[in-house]
Amino acid sequence: MRHTPPRVALFATCLVDLYRPTVGFAAIKLLKEAGCTVVVPEGQTCCGQPAYNSGDKADAQDIARSVIALLEPYDYVVVPSGSCGGMIREQYAALFAADPEWKLRAERLGARTFELVSFLVDVMGMTGVEARYEGMATYHDSCSGLRELGIKGQPRALLATVAGLTLAEMEDAEVCCGFGGTFCVKYPDISVRMVSDKVERIRATGADTLLAGDLGCLLNMAGRLQRLGHTVRVRHVAEVLAGMTDAVPPIGEGQARQGGAR
Amino acid sequence: MLTTSPAFKQNATTALADAGLQKALANAKAGFMQKRARAVAALPEFEALRDLGRDIKNHTIAHLDFYLDTYARNVEAEGGKVHWCETADDARRAVVEICRSVGARTVTKGKSMIGEELGINEHLEAAGIEPIETDLGEYIIQLRKEPPSHIIAPAFHLNREDWIEAFREKHTELAPGRVLDERKTLIDEARTILRSRFLAADVGITGANMLIAETGSSVIVTNEGNGDLTQTLPKVHIVLASIEKVVPTLEDACTILRLLARSATGQDFSTYTTFSTGPRRAPDLDGPAEYHVILLDNGRTSMIGTEFQEMLRCIRCAACMNHCPVYGAVGGHAYGWVYPGPMGSVLTPSLIGVDKAGHLPNASTFCGKCESVCPMKIPLPKMMRHWREREFERHLSPSAARFGLGVWAWFARRPWAYRLATRIGAGTLGFAGRKRGRFGSLPLAGGWTGGRDMPAPEGETFQARYARLRKQGLV
């Protein structure tokens, strides 16, 4: 048993910072409920993935160095995204393959870095949440979280304890939604086709709510659902687990349409 | 072979709008995935086999000179001949020379991706030698005069209607009113036509799934048996193989065979697995009088010692493309050269240059599915990223993208400027989109909003709100 609560640095990610601050506050609430002391280190920007995946290694390394330096002092780093979490946990060390000093620092930080929901379940031993959400949800497994970090059962286990919520599995939940960072604007035709397939799978479940753990995928799926006029409510899983769905309308829904009704 | 890889984007758009192609892709893809999943689930040691396969190939590639020498020595000890070909040109010349030396008029061919890499059919035709594809999928695309769209199922892009149409058009010697609506009738018809070609062929050309150093054997796996007829009936058997196909021992080959069919078609083993060692010996009942191996490099040795070396483990099972959502959306022809899908996105830039194939490693979401099903555990996304790095270093990536990335990186490295810019950006967009919650179009965001709405931000950035609430003691 731990006597002093772990000091957890929340790395909010650039998309949460820019698009969906509520996810950051939901993460803080959940981490506190799990018994953590939460710090939001000042000066955080982005994990550097756009540069890394565009082949711009020098910029990615620059950004990674400042993220490592910023987050090193804490017991854990928690990220409300499998993609950005995977970047820090798995890819930073690869980025510094030729630089032993930074590689070591990257590895040490990586070993203490977790995606939010898997951290709550696997590290903090959380088995349930005090939250209520009326609806039938389907959960999309985002690629990096699933294949890089092994996130599959953790969000489902916690969602099962949300009062009022039922979970309907979609077919091909593990198939990419077509976001892929810059891929979605570099190859929009292919990306839209992939997200259209995903939308069909979502619709086939009859669920009124779509949840996932990565904002990039959520923006992509919400954007396509709404372009096609479907009224599925799209939310980051942390919003539901933290019981903060009253704080903000679903992704892509305005103040006038809160709740997804139309 | 001609490449249309530089036009990948247009190829993809055309493919997405091709209803026939989309139907064929949807039909074929699901079957491959389900069958592989079943086969893998039925073999508890599959994961351990993957490690073993990876280690065998890593060891072999690390000692490639030794195993190739051993292999070649053993081929020759068995009476075969090895033709060391550094380039595709060398290989084409060698094949044509062998055919001419026996006065060949027709050549039967088993399925071979090296054959595609060499464009061997065109070269044989130019030399006045008629090549006849005997693999059913290859046969139909030869009739249709198009390249394969998949490395183990060449006609992946076709529907049954396309087969019927091609057979009616090309098999003019048969009754026009015949019934051709079933898979079996199509196969029977192809078999009838091909039977006489097998018997008439002077030379048989096959590929090789593996070369075995300790025995000097080549291995082919097929499900139709056509490969066996191709290599045993004619006077001359030519094996087309690239250098990375070599494995040290018969036992190593068997380990890899256990991975190959399961990963490829979901079979425990393919229907025919045939080992060929040298030409016919005195007591043999059949077999060719001459056995030649065209051992092709064509750029592969230049991958050794680079970040692309691991690609040489590939055993061409096609699991990566069978599971790839991008391949599944656009099909194989869009990739524009011999090898499509994730393995092609890594290999093609190595073989024809990243300046021509630059799109391929970019057209991936890095979803990682390919790596997760690769029997050789090849880190395909990692290597696609390495290609993006090479492109970035050589300034081959589009200038608008580089500019955008540069601006973004400038801000990302300067937290104060970043905070300011995101506050303004999120505030403006959040305010403009607060009622509807999203945008149908936005300046400079056509790539996104062409097919999707753009959700509006909440308005205040996380960091701004956190700082504000913290000051108020609320968080």
Side-chain angles (χ1 to χ4, degrees), chain B residues 42-289:
Chain B
L43 188 72
E45 68 266 38
F46 190 79
E47 272 310 299
L49 273 177
R50 286 175 81 199
D51 289 338
L52 211 52
R54 176 199 57 202
D55 295 348
I56 289 169
K57 291 290 266 189
N58 278 349
H59 169 84
T60 315
I61 302 299
H63 303 91
L64 192 58
D65 50 347
F66 170 77
Y67 287 112
L68 286 174
D69 269 341
T70 309
Y71 167 73
R73 225 179 18 253
N74 285 327
V75 171
E76 310 226 327
E78 294 290 340
K81 178 153 178 46
V82 175
H83 305 258
W84 297 82
C85 298
E86 194 179 337
T87 66
D89 247 350
D90 296 343
R92 291 188 280 253
R93 232 182 345 255
V95 172
V96 171
E97 269 170 30
I98 297 165
C99 292
R100 283 195 171 138
S101 73
V102 294
R105 299 163 64 97
T106 66
V107 169
T108 43
K109 273 192 69 218
K111 227 191 82 52
S112 160
M113 292 312 295
I114 299 299
E116 298 299 326
E117 203 176 312
L118 300 177
I120 196 66
N121 287 0
E122 293 77 3
H123 279 262
L124 288 169
E125 280 165 3
I129 303 160
E130 187 195 357
I132 300 133
E133 295 288 354
T134 67
D135 172 273
L136 200 54
E138 289 283 350
Y139 176 70
I140 179 99
I141 61 169
Q142 190 183 24
L143 290 185
R144 290 169 52 95
K145 296 189 179 13
E146 59 187 359
S149 66
H150 188 279
I151 62 171
I152 68 160
F156 201 80
H157 57 291
L158 297 180
N159 296 295
R160 190 169 301 164
E161 305 87 85
D162 304 314
W163 286 73
I164 295 169
E165 190 188 314
F167 276 25
R168 285 207 193 284
E169 191 190 327
K170 303 285 178 175
H171 297 161
T172 47
E173 65 271 40
L174 300 176
R178 67 195 186 282
V179 179
L180 262 183
D181 50 354
E182 275 179 54
R183 187 181 152 78
K184 185 172 180 312
T185 49
L186 286 165
I187 293 173
D188 287 346
E189 179 164 319
R191 190 168 279 156
T192 312
I193 301 268
L194 283 173
R195 190 60 49 145
S196 60
R197 314 309 296 266
F198 278 125
L199 296 169
D202 305 297
V203 173
I205 299 179
T206 67
N209 291 89
M210 272 180 283
L211 306 172
I212 304 173
E214 73 168 346
T215 60
S217 312
S218 54
V219 185
I220 58 167
V221 301
T222 71
N223 281 315
E224 297 164 7
N226 64 299
D228 294 2
L229 293 174
T230 301
Q231 66 183 23
T232 47
L233 291 179
K235 294 186 289 286
V236 178
H237 177 199
I238 303 176
V239 177
L240 305 178
S242 48
I243 51 172
E244 83 282 12
K245 293 283 165 65
V246 72
V247 296
T249 66
L250 197 51
E251 186 165 340
D252 294 331
C254 292
T255 301
I256 290 172
L257 284 171
R258 296 186 71 198
L259 286 160
L260 178 57
R262 289 183 169 90
S263 302
T265 52
Q267 293 166 290
D268 292 346
F269 237 63
S270 47
T271 313
Y272 300 89
T273 301
T274 310
F275 296 74
S276 303
T277 314
R280 175 181 194 162
R281 280 151 298 203
D284 290 345
L285 294 176
D286 56 17

Side-chain angles (χ1 to χ4, degrees), chain A residues 9-225:
Chain A
L10 178 70
F11 187 77
T13 78
C14 55
L15 283 181
V16 165
D17 184 47
L18 188 66
Y19 264 95
R20 200 81 180 158
T22 301
V23 174
F25 290 97
I28 292 173
K29 181 163 181 248
L30 287 163
L31 288 167
K32 283 185 175 166
E33 281 171 10
C36 305
T37 301
V38 186
V39 183
V40 179
E42 234 178 274
Q44 52 180 284
T45 60
C46 169
C47 68
Q49 209 175 165
Y52 183 54
N53 285 346
S54 300
D56 179 359
K57 211 169 161 179
D59 276 326
Q61 284 170 333
D62 272 358
I63 294 167
R65 272 189 283 263
S66 55
V67 173
I68 292 169
L70 183 75
L71 300 178
E72 264 171 339
Y74 304 94
D75 294 334
Y76 294 105
V77 175
V78 169
V79 190
S81 155
S83 173
C84 315
M87 177 72 188
I88 300 174
R89 189 176 167 86
E90 304 290 327
Q91 302 299 331
Y92 273 12
L95 198 48
F96 293 111
D99 182 341
E101 187 206 323
W102 279 99
K103 182 167 184 274
L104 186 67
R105 290 174 73 175
E107 281 169 350
R108 286 185 177 155
L109 182 74
R112 304 198 306 273
T113 301
F114 294 86
E115 178 277 339
L116 172 68
V117 182
S118 56
F119 178 78
L120 294 172
V121 173
D122 299 340
V123 179
M124 298 310 294
M126 188 183 260
T127 54
V129 292
E130 296 287 328
R132 165 163 282 281
Y133 183 85
E134 296 301 333
M136 188 204 277
T138 191
Y139 186 87
H140 165 72
D141 295 292
S142 292
C143 298
S144 302
L146 176 72
R147 279 180 274 272
E148 209 167 22
L149 304 177
I151 300 165
K152 177 79 186 177
Q154 303 92 327
R156 289 172 175 80
L158 293 188
L159 284 171
T161 67
V162 173
L165 179 129
T166 52
L167 202 59
E169 289 292 338
M170 72 174 104
E171 226 181 290
D172 294 339
E174 296 185 359
V175 172
C176 180
C177 73
F179 172 64
T182 55
F183 172 86
C184 69
V185 288
K186 279 196 290 188
Y187 300 94
D189 292 352
I190 305 175
S191 175
V192 168
R193 161 63 196 281
M194 288 166 70
V195 72
S196 303
D197 289 351
K198 182 57 72 177
V199 161
E200 274 182 40
R201 300 303 196 201
I202 294 163
R203 298 256 301 148
T205 62
D208 55 47
T209 301
L210 169 67
L211 303 175
D214 270 86
L215 202 48
C217 316
L218 287 163
L219 294 171
N220 182 42
M221 293 184 289
R224 185 62 184 164
L225 279 162

